Amino acid sequence: MRLLLKLIGLALLLVGIYFLGQNIIFTTQTAPYWWRDISAAGSVLAVTSGVVALLFFNRSAGGLGWVLVGLGILLVFVSGGVVLRPTSLWTFFLAFVSLVAGLQLITTGRLRF
């Protein structure tokens, strides 16, 4: 049973990496204004931190996780450094959740929601 959970985790991890790699383009051009680079990096960090908070911390930190995910989505629209190909932010969120859930299944063998 434990091997099956690790295989499912590996599959989720690969699906998450595939969808993130297909739908996000990080540009390396410098922005004419210094604050546009901050929002590009902030969007990636906020969404990443939010999903990690939702999956790895207990339920009391769940509200903070949703706030960070919302802030990351807002910063994606503000920045010009992160370009999402024609996809929904929901697809991005699901891809990252599958990435983190797969990693959690591989390391711990269970999901904590």
Side-chain angles (χ1 to χ4, degrees), residues 50 53-54 57-67:
L54 285 172
F57 298 137
N58 57 11
R59 294 198 184 266
S60 64
L64 175 66
W66 285 114
V67 168

Side-chain angles (χ1 to χ4, degrees), residues 4-72:
L4 180 63
L5 287 175
K6 290 194 183 279
L7 288 175
I8 291 172
L10 180 64
L12 282 172
L13 187 71
L14 292 175
V15 165
I17 289 171
Y18 173 76
F19 281 120
L20 284 178
Q22 293 294 317
N23 295 326
I24 299 175
I25 300 170
F26 294 98
T27 61
T28 57
Q29 66 188 35
T30 59
Y33 306 106
W34 62 272
W35 61 82
R36 291 185 71 189
D37 291 334
I38 292 173
S39 62
S43 65
V44 173
L45 291 175
V47 170
T48 303
S49 301
V51 172
V52 167
L54 285 172
L55 290 177
F56 285 110
F57 298 137
N58 57 11
R59 294 198 184 266
S60 64
L64 175 66
W66 285 114
V67 168
L68 287 172
V69 168
L71 179 68

Side-chain angles (χ1 to χ4, degrees), residues 77-99:
F77 288 114
V78 172
S79 74
V82 178
V83 178
L84 294 176
R85 287 186 14 186
T87 185
S88 67
L89 290 175
W90 180 248
T91 304
F92 168 72
F93 177 71
L94 287 178
F96 196 75
V97 166
S98 69
L99 180 79

